[in-house]
């Protein structure tokens, strides 16, 4: 249906009838007003929908609850007991933060986020969230990071945490595995938290792709995920992050009715209102509805229902619709008189409506997000939405800091307040009606936690509810429900055999390996190739036909290239996650797949292959999150290198992702030169991550560069221990040529081996230098081992010092060391300090890239053969093995311009 002005292009088959309808509308507007006209139109649209007259849905609805009072379901719980439990949890959460900041000033923590969302969680805990104690994976719940105190407080009340645990909130050091982390961090609390959420936006996008990955597992018959719903709790301020909303259309496209977003619309973020001059709930409604979501607004508490029922002429609705969030925030902190004068006051009809209500009653007209029954109705509707194909978002209007008292509620500064005075503590106690359990005489520096006796009604109730829902959560487990066998050696043997004279790239070799693994009888189905619209760039399009692209709807069309061998083949059982142009989404898929060993007990092996420049630099925070979440898998950084990727220029040529990789613990970063190195690293990675072992070893992921330069892949020499040496990070690739007399050592990584090998020949021919060649596959690994040795030595001064492996390995080499790669000099410099008895000359691609040929780029960045010869001689000059004239000779021989501008500045 076309509207918005285009309707005139549609044929009018009965102009008289059209005229009558339009005249009727005009008459209503003239006599009854616009509100009535709007009402009638809404009713017509409702009727049209009921009669299957397709009409585009409007993107926004009036500022009222989506579920009217008369459609609210029966609330099956005991509201009184649940309110009591909620009050205890609210109390303990707040006291935990207060005590933490008393014990350690400035330690932080948040009071007001959870205070606004306590009911949002409690309704879930008591009635909806499924646990894992029945042996199923249960629901996957992403808690809002800043609400962590409330989640701890519930775990305490359930007896899962003790008082000493709460007193170690944000005091993790010295109690390994037992401190309470500031926010949800599986890395720090691996038995408790499952999903890191505190970097705004990453929780929602991860949850969304997680829901999609569950469907992928289901459609591919790998795991029955139908019993698991993904719940993601997020802040309204958080929705400004591109990651939060950027992928929501995927959820509706993929019909993820297993996904529920709950947005805590307290109208505030850290500094102030989210939309002071507008209405964030309306804005979000429009965005989500436009994207095809099922939107449930929970704006008003039950007491408003009576007022709305009296609103015959729509004045209240109009006032609700036109009041901006900045004003609503103000109403949250003002007294009843102010509300009467300003919200209800201007219109006589409105004022009359509340004439019977006292100021106190006016003040306590609650928002929907604090109304348990309204929330229950919304959550129930969301769960019953399964089968509709539409994901659900529940927009809950709350007050930031609710129940904390006047100093907190709705204040712009509330997000940051961490302390309470005794008066404030007592006021909160009274507000929560906890006078019977918390005495007046409390010590404000050490306010008591409320603990429940095991035989108390509340405890029994709470535990019974959790039992009915399969146990307490959050809980992270790693029990393999469907274990994974390691792959056979076949695919790796192929990597070891070399390319037999053919010139190929490491990317092509990897594609072969991936295909081999996907065909492997043991792990084949568990391999998850993930690609963000770059398969053709990497020559991986060959896999489309063979493995098929996952498409929940199958392929409803015959692809344009159907008659080609490499046609674009989509299927419900497709294995490849072709994500389109979203590195953030692809990373979220990588995380979902790489944590399935824990979230579902089904180990999966993701290989996310991407444009190396758009990895760490673009989605570094998601990579950090992956490390937090103990993700396992392989990040394959294709088109790596600042000169190997020719032509593409400054925005594409990656010469620094390995520097960024060095900043993330648990990332195993490699820069292999040959297919057999790629094979050895992946094979070892499979064993390490999926072969069993302690979590500190297994919970890692790999970052492996892949290049697009073709050359012959040598077969793997059968030197004993070579595979281990490749994994360790450095091995001797070739002895120095026999004949020349001056020894030198060249370390190369990746594609830099070509120039390094040529340099060896040139040095031998012209300068009597015998250079041996070493392949440095991982400076990060070498550095980390060396740092550990250095630390051990520092802490054990009386014991035999350990020698870093890199120093041990290079002890077998001779002469000055020149280290070259297609990355910045700082990459090999990672080990320089540990071989400081040797002259060390790093060569690399510092500076921004540019478009040109490989030859020109390598000359520009001073890593080509001539520069390498020159650098080796310079090292020998420093060692006193040659004199200046020799270096000058090389400058002249290789046409090096000493006055050329430094590529770092060019
Ligand atoms: C990426 C990122 N940027 C900034 C922050 C700092 N920060 C923490 S909470 C917060 C405000 C959150 O507001 P909202 O999402 O509305 O949550 P609320 O506490 O109001 O429920 C900010 C800016 C962060 N955690 N992550
Ligand atoms: Mg907020």
């Amino acid at each position: 249906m076309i509207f918005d002005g285009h309707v005139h292009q549609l044929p009018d088959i009965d102009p008289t009838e059209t005229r009558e309808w339009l005249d009727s509308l005009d008459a209503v507007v003239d006599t009854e007003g616009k509100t009535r006209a709007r009402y009638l139109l809404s009713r017509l649209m409702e009727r049209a929908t009921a009669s299957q007259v397709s009409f585009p849905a409007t993107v926004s609805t009036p500022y009222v609850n989506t579920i009217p009072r008369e459609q609210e379901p029966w609330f099956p719980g005991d509201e009184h007991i649940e309110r009591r439990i909620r009050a205890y949890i609210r109390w303990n959460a707040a006291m935990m933060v207060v005590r933490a900041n008393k014990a350690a000033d400035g330690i932080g923590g948040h009071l007001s986020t959870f205070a606004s969302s306590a009911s949002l969680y409690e309704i879930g805990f008591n009635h909806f969230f499924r646990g894992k104690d029945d042996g199923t994976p249960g629901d996957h719940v992403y808690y809002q990071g800043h609400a962590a105190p409330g989640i701890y407080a519930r775990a305490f009340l359930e007896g899962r945490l003790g008082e000493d645990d709460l007193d170690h909130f944000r005091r993790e050091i010295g109690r390994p595995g037992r401190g309470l982390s500031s926010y949800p961090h599986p890395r720090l609390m691996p038995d408790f938290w499952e999903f890191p959420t505190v970097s705004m936006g990453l929780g929602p996008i991860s949850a969304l792709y997680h829901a999609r990955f569950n469907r992928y597992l289901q459609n591919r018959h790998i795991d029955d995920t139908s019993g698991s719903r993904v719940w993601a709790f997020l802040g309204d301020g958080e929705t400004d992050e591109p990651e939060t909303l950027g992928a929501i259309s995927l959820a509706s496209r993929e019909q993820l009715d297993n996904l529920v977003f709950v947005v805590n619309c307290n109208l505030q973020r850290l500094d102030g209102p989210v939309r002071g001059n507008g209405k964030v709930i309306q804005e979000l409604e429009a965005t989500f509805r436009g994207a095809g979501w099922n939107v449930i607004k929970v704006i008003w508490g039950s007491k408003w229902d009576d007022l709305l029922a009296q609103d015959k002429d729509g004045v209240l609705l109009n006032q609700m619709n036109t009041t901006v969030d900045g004003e609503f925030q103000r109403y949250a902190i003002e007294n009843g008189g102010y509300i009467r004068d300003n919200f209800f006051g201007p219109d006589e009809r409105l004022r009359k409506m509340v004439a019977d209500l006292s100021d106190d009653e006016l003040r306590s007209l609650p928002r929907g997000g604090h109304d348990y029954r309204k929330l229950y109705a919304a959550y129930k509707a969301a769960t019953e939405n399964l089968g509709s194909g539409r994901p659900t978002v529940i927009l809950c209007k709350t007050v930031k800091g609710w129940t904390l008292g006047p100093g907190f509620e709705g204040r712009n500064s509330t997000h940051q307040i961490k302390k309470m005075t005794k008066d404030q503590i007592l006021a909160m106690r009274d507000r929560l009606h906890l006078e019977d359990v918390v005495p007046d005489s409390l010590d404000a520096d050490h306010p008591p936690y409320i603990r429940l006796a095991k035989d108390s009604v509340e405890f029994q109730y709470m535990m019974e509810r959790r039992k009915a829902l399969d146990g307490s959560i959050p809980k992270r487990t790693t029990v393999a429900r469907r274990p994974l066998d390691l792959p056979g050696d076949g695919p790796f043997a192929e990597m070891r055999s070399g390319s037999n004279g053919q010139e190929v790239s490491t990317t092509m070799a990897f594609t072969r390996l991936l295909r081999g693994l996907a065909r492997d009888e043991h792990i084949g189905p568990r391999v998850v190739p993930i690609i963000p619209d770059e398969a053709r760039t990497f020559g991986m399009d060959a896999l489309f036909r063979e493995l098929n692209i996952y498409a929940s709807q199958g392929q409803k069309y015959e692809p344009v290239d159907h008659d080609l061998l490499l046609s674009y083949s989509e299927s419900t059982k497709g294995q490849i996650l072709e994500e389109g142009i979203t590195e953030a989404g692809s990373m979220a898929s990588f995380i979902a797949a790489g944590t399935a060993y824990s979230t579902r007990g089904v180990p999966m092996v993701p290989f996310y292959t991407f444009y190396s420049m758009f990895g760490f630099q673009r989605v570094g925070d998601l990579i950090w999150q992956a490390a937090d979440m103990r993700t396992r898998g392989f990040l394959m950084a294709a088109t790596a290198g600042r000169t190997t990727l020719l032509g593409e220029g400054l925005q594409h040529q990656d010469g620094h992702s390995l520097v960024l990789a060095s900043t993330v613990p648990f990332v195993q970063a490699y820069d292999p030169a040959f297919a057999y190195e790629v094979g050895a690293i992946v094979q070892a990675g499979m064993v390490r991550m999926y072969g069993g072992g302690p979590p500190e070893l297994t919970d890692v992921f790999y970052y492996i560069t892949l290049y697009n330069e073709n050359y012959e892949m040598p077969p793997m020499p059968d030197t004993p221990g070579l595979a281990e040496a490749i994994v360790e990070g450095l091995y001797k690739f070739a002895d120095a040529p026999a004949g020349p007399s001056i020894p030198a050592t060249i370390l190369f990584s990746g594609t830099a081996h070509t120039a390094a090998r040529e340099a060896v020949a040139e040095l031998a021919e012209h300068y009597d230098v015998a250079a041996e060649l070493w392949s440095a596959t991982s400076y990060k690994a070498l550095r980390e081992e060396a740092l550990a040795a250095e630390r051990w030595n520092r802490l054990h001064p009386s014991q035999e010092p350990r020698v870093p492996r890199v120093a041990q390995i290079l002890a077998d080499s001779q002469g000055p060391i020149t280290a070259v790669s297609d990355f910045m000099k700082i990459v090999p410099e990672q080990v320089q300090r540990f071989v400081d008895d040797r002259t060390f000359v790093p060569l690399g691609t510092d500076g921004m890239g540019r478009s040109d040929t490989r030859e020109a780029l390598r000359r520009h960045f001073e890593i080509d053969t001539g520069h390498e010869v020159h650098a080796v001689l310079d090292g020998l000059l420093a060692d006193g093995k040659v004199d200046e004239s020799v270096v000058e000779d090389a400058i002249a021989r290789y046409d090096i311009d000493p006055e050329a501008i430094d590529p770092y500045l060019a």
Side-chain angles (χ1 to χ4, degrees), residues 791-803:
R791 173 176 178 272
W792 192 89
N793 293 343
R794 199 167 55 239
L795 296 173
H796 302 86
S798 319
Q799 299 191 41
E800 175 87 7
R802 292 182 183 170
V803 180

Side-chain angles (χ1 to χ4, degrees), residues 116 144 235-238 264-270 274 400:
S116 59
Q144 205 185 336
D236 48 358
E238 185 172 12
N264 174 16
C265 296
N266 54 26
L267 315 187
Q268 291 179 243
R269 42 181 164 74
L270 196 151
V274 179
K400 193 151 178 167

Side-chain angles (χ1 to χ4, degrees), residues 187 626-628 630-631 661 663-669 688-689 695-703 780 784:
R187 183 60 69 177
D628 185 351
R630 298 174 170 267
T631 307
T663 62
V664 184
F666 306 105
V667 165
Q668 311 298 308
R688 176 164 179 181
M689 296 186 290
E696 63 274 18
L697 290 181
T698 55
D699 296 354
V700 299
F701 54 95
Y702 283 69
Y703 180 73
K780 185 177 195 273
E784 286 168 357

Side-chain angles (χ1 to χ4, degrees), residues 848-868:
M848 287 182 137
R850 61 209 53 219
S851 309
D852 214 310
T853 61
R854 283 188 187 124
E855 294 70 29
L857 289 169
R858 287 171 182 170
R859 170 123 292 232
H860 171 79
F861 283 106
E862 303 171 357
I863 58 165
D864 64 358
T865 308
H867 278 96
E868 235 166 276

